Amino acid sequence: MMTARENEDIQVVKQDNSFFETLPEERKTEAVSFEAVKAEPSNFVFVPPDSRSERVKQEAISRDGLLISSIEERERTFPLCKAAIKESPLAYEYLPTKLKTENNLIELVTDNPFILCKLKEYEKTEKLCRAALAALPDNLKPDLLVHVPFSDVCFETLQTSCKSKADAAMYAISIPDKVMNENIASFLLEKNPFIYSTLKDISLSPKTCLAIERAHPDYFINNPSALPMEVRESANVFTLSRMLERICGQKLPVEQLEKILNGEPLIMKNFTYGGKHIYNGVMQVRDKQLFIVPKKDKEHEKKETQKKKHLKL
């Protein structure tokens, strides 16, 4: 039960929050200290050690997170630090190293995903980054990806959250250069090939060029300079795909195109090559040269034989 003196001091503190600083130490009891930090959280620095109960600490740092720095490190519990960081992300600086476990950090970024920005690179894990991104709506994820050092995590985010040309443009700016790779670049360029100029140090591979052309058939027609010479003038999945589409209208999967380039034959039917219509043929790459050999078709031979017989009659 509070004394009459405590009640008097509390009433004065409520009316004038600067009064607490002038009180003698013996009158700064736990009850008076609690009301003082409620009135003005900065009063916490004038609270004597014996009056710094958990509720006094909690009240102070929930109002001003940076006051966690006024608490001895050995007394900083995770609940106190969590409350401080929730009020001010800058308070992360005062989280003791022993409390920086992956589970604790996941709890922090789930409450406030942008705490991830305050972490050192070595403190970040893929699991931690995924937790932070999962706690954000799609429209805010590009802002956080700037601080994600893992290509796999960035690519996963694109697959679930990058849905339009505008999204692709935003993500292209957000993903760090050191994280950008061919898979990410290909995905973004398929969505929006016009962002190529924003992708630093990314050379368009034949696979990427093919993905762009299939998603946007007129892109290289309208932007021929965007197609690298080394892709345009060599045997690769891009040039092979173009040739097959021109000859027989086929769009083969990249995996099959690669097998053909490695020597696997392709059976082709009813196509025109070299000005001749071929009913049945085999295409094969040997010694980096392309060969298309007509193959006799029994059904076609039968029809030709019948036609010749008819003409004789």
Side-chain angles (χ1 to χ4, degrees):
M1 188 172 178
M2 285 188 292
T3 65
R5 172 63 75 181
E6 283 181 308
N7 279 320
E8 288 176 13
D9 287 341
I10 287 172
Q11 294 307 314
V12 177
V13 164
K14 286 181 177 180
Q15 293 174 13
D16 178 6
N17 56 45
S18 65
F19 173 71
F20 181 76
E21 181 182 354
T22 65
L23 278 176
E25 292 292 291
E26 66 272 13
R27 286 170 59 185
K28 293 178 180 178
T29 62
E30 194 274 346
V32 175
S33 296
F34 179 72
E35 294 299 334
V37 297
K38 277 183 69 176
E40 172 51 56
S42 63
N43 278 328
F44 181 74
V45 298
F46 306 116
V47 176
D50 291 345
S51 296
R52 289 189 173 190
S53 64
E54 283 303 307
R55 73 165 187 156
V56 172
K57 294 175 186 174
Q58 192 74 33
E59 181 65 29
I61 63 175
S62 64
R63 305 276 303 285
D64 183 352
L66 292 178
L67 286 172
I68 193 73
S69 62
S70 301
I71 299 175
E72 291 288 335
E73 184 170 326
R74 56 188 170 80
E75 296 178 4
R76 296 175 200 167
T77 63
F78 182 66
L80 280 176
C81 291
K82 182 179 177 182
I85 294 168
K86 184 175 183 180
E87 196 285 321
S88 172
L90 295 174
Y92 177 79
E93 179 184 346
Y94 304 104
L95 179 67
T97 302
K98 66 180 180 180
L99 296 180
K100 292 181 180 180
T101 65
E102 187 174 55
N103 286 339
N104 282 348
L105 294 180
I106 286 175
E107 198 171 326
L108 291 178
V109 300
T110 300
D111 279 351
N112 181 353
F114 287 98
I115 294 298
L116 189 70
C117 311
K118 303 298 179 184
L119 272 62
K120 301 286 192 302
E121 289 295 286
Y122 65 84
E123 293 174 336
K124 298 174 185 177
T125 65
E126 291 191 8
K127 185 177 179 181
L128 184 62
C129 292
R130 288 188 179 99
L133 287 162
L136 281 176
D138 284 352
N139 65 312
L140 292 181
K141 288 178 180 178
D143 296 333
L144 191 61
L145 276 189
V146 177
H147 305 282
V148 174
F150 303 106
S151 297
D152 288 348
V153 177
C154 289
F155 188 53
E156 290 167 11
T157 303
L158 293 180
Q159 290 177 308
T160 58
S161 304
C162 182
K163 300 170 184 175
S164 67
K165 286 185 177 181
D167 289 343
M170 185 63 71
Y171 279 110
I173 297 170
S174 301
I175 295 176
D177 294 342
K178 64 181 179 181
V179 174
M180 184 68 69
N181 60 24
E182 187 177 328
N183 282 340
I184 294 174
S186 297
F187 185 93
L188 292 172
L189 288 164
E190 282 184 57
K191 294 286 184 184
N192 185 353
F194 299 98
I195 63 172
Y196 175 58
S197 60
T198 68
L199 302 179
K200 299 177 182 178
D201 301 322
I202 289 293
S203 176
L204 291 182
S205 68
K207 283 185 182 180
T208 301
C209 291
L210 180 57
I212 292 172
E213 181 156 274
R214 288 188 173 178
H216 305 272
D218 295 332
Y219 179 69
F220 289 122
I221 294 173
N222 297 328
N223 302 274
S225 61
L227 182 62
M229 184 181 295
E230 59 269 23
V231 174
R232 184 173 62 248
E233 297 184 357
S234 64
N236 53 63
V237 292
F238 178 81
T239 52
L240 178 59
S241 178
R242 273 192 166 185
M243 188 197 72
L244 287 174
E245 284 189 52
R246 186 175 64 253
I247 293 175
C248 55
Q250 286 184 289
K251 286 188 178 182
L252 299 181
V254 172
E255 295 76 14
Q256 190 172 357
L257 292 171
E258 289 177 330
K259 289 179 181 178
I260 294 170
L261 287 170
N262 288 325
E264 183 174 292
L266 174 68
I267 306 298
M268 302 167 65
K269 294 180 181 293
N270 292 320
F271 63 96
T272 301
Y273 182 69
K276 296 181 180 180
H277 185 80
I278 301 175
Y279 289 93
N280 205 355
V282 178
M283 185 189 77
Q284 189 170 24
V285 175
R286 296 196 299 269
D287 299 325
K288 296 185 179 180
Q289 290 186 314
L290 179 66
F291 296 89
I292 296 180
V293 182
K295 184 180 179 183
K296 290 185 178 181
D297 182 88
K298 290 183 180 180
E299 186 63 29
H300 178 62
E301 282 184 344
K302 184 178 178 182
K303 288 181 180 180
E304 287 295 312
T305 302
Q306 291 175 345
K307 186 177 180 180
K308 288 177 181 178
K309 286 180 179 180
H310 178 72
L311 289 173
K312 286 180 181 180
L313 293 174

